[in-house]
Amino acid sequence: MQDAVLMFSIDQAVTTSADATNYIPVDVITNAEAKQLTVNCVVSTTFTGLTDLTVQLIANTGNNSTSGEVLAQTGAIPLAKLKAGTRIPIHVEIPFQNPDSAKKNLFLHYDVTGTATAGKITAGIEYMPQTNI
């Protein structure tokens, strides 16, 4: 079960480039050391119409991703791979940050190329990923 505090999107329609519905405060997932984490994006409704989709994990001090630092991103994912049930993992290490200049929030940004007519994503941080499979 996923903790709601760690969710960026729950069945969010992604037909244009936009930030995920929610952002996650960095202090929810870090302390005085670096943290490795995985953001899992799952296509919950098959995409139609677009050319491709890129997903970026961005850190910023404000309340949106604009002018933030891209920590990690997927490559361009073509329409043919954006079927319901497809899992898109993003692995990243959040480094220790000086509290005086720290990025305060994590954002997920969906960058749509082309004209999407349908497609939904559920995405969140997998805090303790299962490793025995």
Side-chain angles (χ1 to χ4, degrees):
M1 171 148 303
Q2 190 77 33
D3 186 336
V5 173
L6 301 177
M7 296 301 293
F8 288 107
S9 300
I10 299 174
D11 241 6
Q12 178 178 343
V14 180
T15 55
T16 62
S17 295
D19 285 347
T21 306
N22 304 307
Y23 63 87
I24 299 173
V26 172
D27 62 1
V28 168
I29 58 167
T30 62
N31 53 27
E33 60 189 50
K35 290 286 185 188
Q36 291 184 356
L37 57 92
T38 298
V39 175
N40 277 316
C41 305
V42 178
V43 177
S44 51
T45 299
T46 299
F47 279 80
T48 58
L50 59 72
T51 304
D52 59 56
L53 174 72
T54 302
V55 183
Q56 299 176 317
L57 180 65
I58 299 172
N60 202 355
T61 55
N63 60 1
N64 62 44
S65 68
T66 306
S67 301
E69 175 187 356
V70 176
L71 301 176
Q73 72 179 20
T74 66
I77 305 164
L79 175 63
K81 293 190 176 191
L82 295 170
K83 306 283 186 209
T86 301
R87 182 177 167 264
I88 306 162
I90 301 172
H91 304 287
V92 66
E93 182 169 306
I94 306 296
F96 169 75
Q97 300 182 52
N98 177 337
D100 296 333
S101 61
K103 303 292 188 194
K104 305 292 185 209
N105 299 307
L106 294 176
F107 301 88
L108 209 56
H109 182 78
Y110 304 115
D111 188 13
V112 173
T113 303
T115 305
T117 53
K120 292 183 180 179
I121 291 181
T122 295
I125 293 175
E126 186 174 339
Y127 196 63
M128 296 179 68
Q130 184 172 352
T131 59
N132 65 345
I133 56 172

